[in-house]
């Protein structure tokens, strides 16, 4: 339903996205995941026909979004980051306007508007002025305008941003309900959201796709490095020298987390792929007279995969040691679902 | 093609409605009526007094005071609208940008020029609506004039005013499409209007080839011709050219703005 091939968007000398290729099957919900500024919005805007790509092609429902722009646009429902609303209109009036400009015939309009209102749970508010609506309702009206013309493809740019936990759950349910009849592509920087609603997740980092798969397969597919957190009483150069001889050992870095004692060294060691190097590490250390005070294998979660894939600095604190990023990644109320 | 015209109509209707359901439109209309009504009363009493004074002297050539009033008032209106029009045009695109609705329009199956055409059509219609009461009270006030006023020069004059307004609104729309700041759009359009007056002043005060050229591009000069009752097709062509230029530039700037990072 959506075919994107080698899409690039270059602003001056910086590339917002580079060689992005992916495809979405009919009826699927595809999550576009990445940190802020990774190129999610740019990709969404190109797909929606708002921005022209510098190179590459993007086909939606068989139409190239740039060359057959007008036909492609008719097949797309698009919710930008900020829901595009006219505050002085009523919800119903606004949806009627959108239905008109999207080319819904006059006879079909009332049923389509009712459908959109019902899907988005807005039936009892149809006569309300948009400027009187709260953020959550505005977002729903934004989604309603994206589905009012029954488009085969729906593009949602950060549909849950700025909503409270209850509203987030409502909007997610709503999006899930759209799958099947519509092909949905949504962007988010919240990982649990992607794994909760999407059939497939594509992770984008600095404008390049780094991974794409079902949420469950993403981890195994990526051959995530196994890492170890150890605490030793020695200096870094010496430990490093000892450890670098171990086969399949990838990196040894100083973990920038607080050590229990100042004179001890806390290290983060990663191996290539899923090689089990724990016994080798402890043996090597003990043989050289540096017994570890503490050693722990860090189980990579999907969140770590995401962080690893999308963070430039590799020596981030392991999430087990209270990482400040964690609160941002997981909005409160997440467990209620 | 049919869809495009249906879309133009949809956007036109929505725009026009927004003038009548927000206090903004009424405020502008109110101010315009107040100012123009004030000038009309002054002119009316002045000319009435003058006609009584002069009319008693049979040696002076007779003057059609009613016609004189219409022309002077149209000239005054031509100046007053220069201040009203930038306020009408400043929000045409800035508001869409601020609300993000430009993204909705740009991702709908509709071309940029159709959006521009619809928006211009709506604001010109609104301006036409607020002109109607003014034309009406003039006809009432001068209904008893002797010799009776002929409607033709009056209507040509107002047609000229509408063309002048459309041209300025069209260029103002272009300026509003360049920014998402209402104040910048308003000031830019005032600057443009000032430039137009300056061009007019230059064409009035000097002679030569350059002046002739300037006179041809001066909107106010063409307006003056229509007010004088000189209906020249070149004036109408000039107005229409400005209107089309505004629509064209607006469509281009909306297109070009998409390339920029926001």
């Amino acid at each position: 339903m959506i075919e994107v091939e080698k899409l690039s968007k270059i602003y001056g000398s910086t590339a917002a996205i580079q060689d992005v290729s992916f495809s979405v099957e009919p009826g699927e919900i595809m999550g576009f995941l990445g940190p802020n500024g990774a190129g999610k919005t740019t990709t969404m805007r190109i797909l929606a026909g708002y921005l022209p790509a510098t190179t590459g092609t993007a086909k939606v429902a068989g139409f190239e979004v740039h060359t057959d722009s007008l036909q492609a646009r008719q097949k797309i429902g698009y919710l930008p980051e900020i829901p595009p609303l006219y505050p002085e209109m009523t919800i119903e009036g606004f949806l009627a306007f959108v239905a008109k400009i999207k080319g819904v015939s006059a006879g079909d309009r009332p049923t389509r508007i009712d459908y959109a209102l019902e899907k988005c749970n807005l039936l009892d508010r149809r006569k309300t002025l948009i400027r009187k609506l709260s953020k959550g309702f505005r977002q729903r009206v934004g989604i309603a305008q994206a589905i009012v013309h029954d488009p085969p493809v729906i593009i949602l740019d950060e549909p849950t941003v700025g909503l409270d936990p209850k509203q987030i759950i409502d909007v997610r349910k709503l999006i899930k309900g759209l799958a099947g009849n519509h092909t949905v592509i949504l962007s988010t920087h919240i990982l649990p959201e992607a794994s909760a609603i999407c059939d497939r997740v594509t992770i984008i980092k600095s404008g390049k796709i780094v991974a794409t798969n079902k949420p469950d397969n993403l981890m195994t597919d990526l051959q995530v490095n196994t890492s170890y957190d150890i605490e030793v009483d020695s200096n870094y150069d010496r430990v490093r020298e000892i450890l670098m001889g171990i086969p399949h050992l990838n990196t040894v870095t100083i973990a920038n987390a607080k050590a229990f004692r100042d004179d001890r060294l806390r290290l983060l060691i990663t191996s290539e792929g899923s090689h089990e190097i724990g016994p080798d590490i402890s043996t090597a250390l003990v043989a050289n007279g540096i017994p570890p005070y503490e050693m722990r294998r860090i189980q990579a979660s999907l969140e770590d995969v995401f962080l690893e894939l999308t963070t430039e600095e590799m020596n981030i604190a392991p999430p087990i040691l209270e990482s400040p990023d964690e609160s941002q990644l997981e909005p409160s109320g997440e467990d209620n679902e | 093609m049919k869809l495009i015209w249906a879309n133009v109509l949809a956007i036109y209707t929505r725009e026009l409605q927004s003038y009548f359901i927000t206090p903004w439109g009424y405020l502008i209309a109110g101010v315009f009526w107040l100012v123009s009504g004030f000038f009309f009363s002054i002119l009316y009493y002045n000319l009435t007094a003058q006609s009584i004074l002069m009319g008693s002297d049979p040696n002076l050539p007779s003057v059609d005071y009613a016609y004189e009033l219409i022309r002077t008032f149209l000239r005054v209106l031509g100046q007053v609208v220069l201040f009203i029009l930038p306020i009408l045009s400043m929000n045409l695109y800035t508001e869409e940008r601020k609300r993000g609705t430009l993204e909705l329009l740009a991702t709908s199956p509709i071309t940029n020029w159709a959006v521009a055409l619809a928006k211009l059509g709506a604001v010109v219609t609104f301006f036409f609506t607020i002109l109607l009461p003014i034309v009406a009270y003039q006809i009432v006030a001068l209904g008893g004039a002797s010799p009776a006023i002929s409607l033709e020069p009056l209507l040509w004059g107002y047609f000229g005013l509408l063309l002048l307004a459309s041209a300025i609104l069209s260029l103002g729309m272009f300026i509003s499409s360049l920014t998402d700041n209402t104040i910048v759009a308003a000031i830019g359009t005032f600057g443009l209007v000032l430039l137009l007056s300056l061009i007019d002043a230059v064409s009035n005060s000097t002679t030569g080839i350059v002046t002739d050229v300037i006179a041809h591009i001066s909107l106010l000069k063409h307006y003056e011709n229509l007010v004088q009752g000189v209906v020249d097709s070149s004036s109408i062509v000039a107005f229409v050219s400005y209107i089309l230029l505004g629509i064209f530039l607006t469509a281009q700037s909306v297109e070009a703005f998409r390339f920029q990072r926001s």
Side-chain angles (χ1 to χ4, degrees):
Chain A
M1 197 49 105
I2 303 176
E3 304 270 346
V4 175
E5 259 174 61
K6 292 201 173 273
L7 209 60
S8 297
K9 176 73 189 171
I10 293 156
Y11 291 104
S13 57
T14 52
I17 57 167
Q18 231 176 349
D19 280 340
V20 167
S21 305
F22 62 88
S23 64
V24 187
E25 300 301 316
E28 202 178 32
I29 303 185
M30 151 93 142
F32 220 62
L33 187 66
N36 294 328
K40 299 188 299 281
T41 297
T42 304
T43 314
M44 301 277 134
R45 282 182 162 174
I46 293 172
L47 280 178
Y50 185 61
L51 281 177
T54 312
T55 57
T57 56
K59 271 189 183 171
V60 172
F63 296 105
E64 216 285 322
V65 291
H66 199 55
T67 52
D68 298 321
S69 187
L70 290 188
Q71 285 100 320
R73 288 183 205 175
Q74 247 175 311
K75 305 282 180 202
I76 296 171
Y78 172 50
L79 170 69
E81 241 174 318
I82 310 156
L85 307 170
Y86 293 102
E88 76 275 7
M89 297 180 99
T90 62
I91 295 178
E92 197 174 27
F94 174 66
L95 291 179
F97 168 69
V98 176
K100 255 192 257 177
I101 63 168
K102 299 279 185 185
V104 178
S105 67
D108 292 342
R109 261 176 239 153
T111 45
R112 288 307 312 165
I113 293 165
D114 282 347
Y115 168 81
L117 287 170
E118 196 204 313
K119 271 274 179 190
C120 300
N121 230 333
L122 291 164
L123 274 173
D124 51 335
R125 301 271 185 144
R126 60 197 305 161
K127 302 281 185 204
T128 311
L129 286 178
I130 288 172
R131 70 181 155 86
K132 294 190 174 162
L133 296 176
S134 66
K135 174 102 177 120
F137 273 103
R138 283 174 191 223
Q139 197 74 24
R140 277 196 241 167
V141 179
I143 296 174
Q145 66 81 24
I147 63 173
V148 73
H149 54 300
D150 198 15
V153 172
I154 299 170
I155 299 170
L156 307 168
D157 196 356
E158 309 233 345
T160 58
V161 95
L163 302 182
D164 71 34
K166 168 86 171 61
Q167 294 167 331
I168 289 179
I169 293 164
D170 287 349
V171 168
R172 284 183 191 168
K173 273 194 192 131
L174 167 61
I175 295 168
K176 265 194 157 167
L178 296 173
N181 297 327
H182 309 271
T183 307
V184 182
I185 175 162
L186 66 93
S187 74
T188 175
H189 61 275
I190 304 159
L191 183 101
E193 178 160 296
S195 45
I197 35 181
C198 302
D199 302 318
R200 231 146 40 86
V201 175
T202 293
I203 298 181
I204 185 169
K205 172 204 171 188
S206 314
K208 287 177 189 155
I209 287 186
V210 284
T212 175
N213 210 326
K214 291 193 170 119
D216 300 338
N217 296 349
L218 209 52
M219 239 172 76
T220 45
D221 204 47
L222 280 162
Q223 292 218 329
V224 181
N225 296 345
T226 319
S227 39
Y228 298 88
D229 176 29
I230 66 167
E231 188 182 309
V232 288
D233 193 356
S234 180
N235 70 50
Y236 174 65
D237 292 329
R238 172 129 193 269
V239 177
R240 193 183 148 82
E241 203 187 309
I242 296 163
L243 293 179
M244 284 321 271
I246 296 170
H248 303 301
L249 185 135
N250 206 6
T251 58
V252 178
T253 48
I254 300 173
N256 59 352
K258 262 184 249 161
F260 285 87
R261 282 171 49 175
D262 290 345
D263 54 342
R264 287 186 192 154
L265 186 65
R266 213 175 175 102
L267 296 172
L268 187 67
I269 300 164
T270 59
S271 70
E272 286 167 13
S274 50
H275 287 283
E276 189 68 77
I277 54 167
D280 295 341
I281 295 171
S282 54
T283 314
L285 287 175
V286 172
N288 284 281
I290 314 170
Y293 285 86
E294 189 184 331
M295 178 164 170
R296 182 172 41 181
R297 184 169 61 210
I298 298 166
Q299 287 287 347
S301 66
L302 194 52
E303 203 132 284
D304 303 331
V305 177
F306 175 60
L307 273 178
E308 188 166 323
L309 287 169
T310 56
T311 315
E312 291 293 345
E313 300 288 323
M314 285 304 287
N315 56 346
I316 42 151
I320 299 157
L321 309 163
E322 266 178 275
S323 151
D325 291 340
E326 213 161 9
S327 56
Q328 285 171 12
L329 287 163
E330 198 141 9
S332 53
E334 190 45 48
D335 303 331
N336 302 352
E337 207 166 357
Chain B
M1 204 60 200
K2 209 178 137 206
L3 180 65
I4 288 179
W5 288 112
N7 280 342
V8 170
L9 193 67
I11 294 172
Y12 170 82
T13 317
R14 199 211 67 75
E15 284 281 317
L16 198 57
Q17 274 171 353
S18 78
Y19 286 108
F20 292 102
I21 53 178
T22 54
W24 192 238
Y26 293 100
L27 190 71
I28 292 173
V31 170
F32 181 59
W33 288 333
L34 193 74
V35 173
S36 57
F38 172 73
F39 280 115
F40 184 75
S41 328
I42 289 182
L43 288 172
Y44 186 83
Y45 286 116
N46 270 353
L47 282 170
T48 320
Q50 214 181 343
S51 72
I52 292 166
L53 209 69
M54 304 287 187
S56 55
D57 190 344
N59 295 329
L60 286 171
S62 70
V63 178
D64 186 344
Y65 287 100
Y67 186 51
E68 201 55 39
L69 172 61
I70 289 170
R71 282 200 303 199
T72 319
F73 185 52
L74 271 168
R75 265 183 223 122
V76 171
L77 279 184
Q79 299 296 317
V80 172
V81 296
L82 295 185
F83 293 92
I84 299 287
L85 296 174
I87 295 168
L88 274 179
S89 71
M90 69 184 182
N91 267 335
L92 283 173
Y93 272 88
T94 50
E95 200 73 342
E96 300 267 0
R97 253 183 222 293
K98 262 189 278 180
R99 292 167 176 174
T101 42
L102 200 58
E103 210 162 329
L104 168 68
L105 296 179
T107 55
S108 297
I110 180 164
T111 51
N112 289 331
W113 66 262
V115 176
L117 182 71
K119 280 179 163 291
L120 183 66
V123 72
V124 168
T125 309
F126 177 70
F127 182 74
F128 176 73
T129 318
I130 64 175
L131 273 187
L132 286 179
I134 292 177
V135 180
Y137 71 62
Q138 258 187 101
I139 293 174
V140 171
L142 302 174
S146 166
I149 51 160
S150 80
L151 279 179
E152 206 186 321
L154 179 93
L155 293 180
W156 273 117
Y158 278 94
F159 179 63
L161 187 62
L162 202 62
L163 281 177
L164 174 74
S166 306
I168 292 173
L169 287 171
S170 187
L171 296 172
M173 175 171 75
F174 163 60
I175 291 172
S176 89
S177 75
L178 295 173
T179 171
D180 58 3
N181 187 324
T182 314
I183 307 294
V184 171
I187 292 174
T189 314
F190 273 121
L192 178 88
V193 164
L194 218 66
L195 190 74
L196 287 177
S197 309
L198 204 69
I199 287 174
D200 191 51
V202 168
S203 71
N204 282 336
S205 57
T206 56
T207 51
I209 297 174
V210 180
T211 314
D212 283 351
V213 173
I214 288 175
H216 274 290
I217 60 166
S218 166
L219 280 174
L220 293 172
K221 180 118 285 142
H222 291 299
Y223 173 59
E224 176 64 25
N225 286 346
L226 284 171
V227 169
Q228 293 288 356
V230 184
V231 182
D232 186 352
S233 59
S234 79
S235 295
I236 305 208
V237 169
F239 282 124
V240 172
S241 309
Y242 272 101
I243 294 169
L244 294 179
L245 178 73
I247 293 175
F248 172 77
L249 288 176
T250 307
Q252 292 302 310
S253 92
V254 170
E255 185 68 36
F257 255 84
R258 293 197 210 165
F259 289 86
Q260 290 198 354
R261 184 167 236 171
S262 57

